[in-house]
Amino acid sequence: MVKKDFYWGASTSAFQVEGGFGEGGKGIATTDVRHVPEGIADSKIASDHYHHLSEDIELMADLGIDLYRFSFNWTRVMGEGDQPNQEGIDFYNRLIDGCLEKGITPFPTLYHFEMPQALVTKFDGWKSRKCIDYFVDYAKVCFQHFGDRVKLWGTINEQLIVTAASDLNGNHETDADEKMKQMYQMSYNMSLAEKKTIQVFRKIVRDGQIGPVCSMQVVYPETPSPRNILAAKNAEDFLQNCFLDMSVFGEYPKSYCNYLNEKGWYPETEPADREILKKNKPDLIGINYYCSTCIRAVEPGEDTSKLPPFYRNERFTLGNNPYLTKTKWMEFGIDPEGLYIGMRSIYEKYHLPMMVTENGLAYSDSIEDGQIHDVYRIDYLEQHIKQCERFMEEGYPLLGYSPWSLLDLVSSHQGFKKRYGLIFVDRTDEDPKECRRIPKDSYYWYQNKIKNTKKG
Ligand code: BG6
């Protein structure tokens, strides 16, 4: 039975949906200048949410959601990073007030992948502790301007990804060893920034709740061999525990520290950090989940250099799960039960309420007679929601479910061919057209699901 105060939501992020490049005093973000391969849309127009704001809020209201999970664009709020930008603040005031008028709770994330390019140019972004102060100042501006009406907040979206993806964070170091070292330093600085942000939040938004948004890792060993089981444990420490242990307990897992020390990659810290890290606990954890991960041990001499940085580790590598159905865009396989398994582990470890902040199916949808019959997405959402219901029936605390994404948007690096939306945005990678909105069959399915649950 879904509780009456359960949030049914839908999610987006600023750089993937807004567009409005160079408008309203927005500064230049890392995502505005990154290299985008030919034939793939960039984020300059994206879904043109910046110019379709009222229409999008109407669509949210018709959908019946009671929560909108979005992100503030750091460069819309702070221009080049050092001064508040009133026009940007006004834009988010319109968004927040528009949602509240329709009974939709705004749930912004402060940092969802983009950041001011100026901070990277000036002092190498997160590699420097200076970035911590800039981030805390930005967060403070957000709390001061929006905290009277916004009570649910996310800090950092998927620290795992944002520390590893050079085009998002500007870590273009060419020496592979040095690059890894810097990645871990950036991650430490981000964790410290998160904690300092929570400290400020407690003073300004006294009745609010805040927490990290993690890229939930449901790690299965490829076989029951002890080597693979240990590899899976190591992967959990490096892909998830190092972030959440830091957010909740203010310390890293032992095996993570040992490995970083062995490699000479342990970040530089200052004695006063410890207290800040230990205090300032979050209130909730945002869960982004698309699929589980199968892990195995690295074979002697095996080349892992082609893996993304977060998998490039001597203690584990990617395996294959033959039990899951894979699709073109969901290459790890579809695993609804993984959502339940992962949330259960997170709850047993951290004892905090959770909110599903992202969950969705990527597909290259197309229009047929003016409609989008995305039965595959309905099936995916239905199966994952069932696992949330199961989780709640067993007494675990889940605050809400907010699928990715409200509308089609630029994928983090694969443009508009890879779509997740409940609402189709009529554009292609090459041609933005008018970005006309067309609700998909999944939109109507979700609308019914929300209506029926509320009735029951
Ligand atoms: C999450 C991000 O990693 O996954 C989103 O928070 C992203 O920003 C989503 O869009 C899906 O990933 P992708 O790469 O398919 O866009």
Side-chain angles (χ1 to χ4, degrees), residues 13 15-16 69 112-113 157-158 161 288 290 358 362 404 409-414 418 420:
S13 90
F15 86 97
Q16 294 177 276
R69 188 235 168 187
H112 192 127
F113 292 176
N157 179 74
E158 299 195 353
I161 305 299
N288 290 357
Y290 293 86
E358 286 183 33
W404 188 261
L409 37 73
V410 200
S411 140
S412 69
H413 58 293
Q414 286 157 316
K418 191 180 189 186
Y420 289 89

Side-chain angles (χ1 to χ4, degrees), residues 50 86 148 258:
Y50 190 69
Q86 194 54 48
D148 57 334
N258 292 344

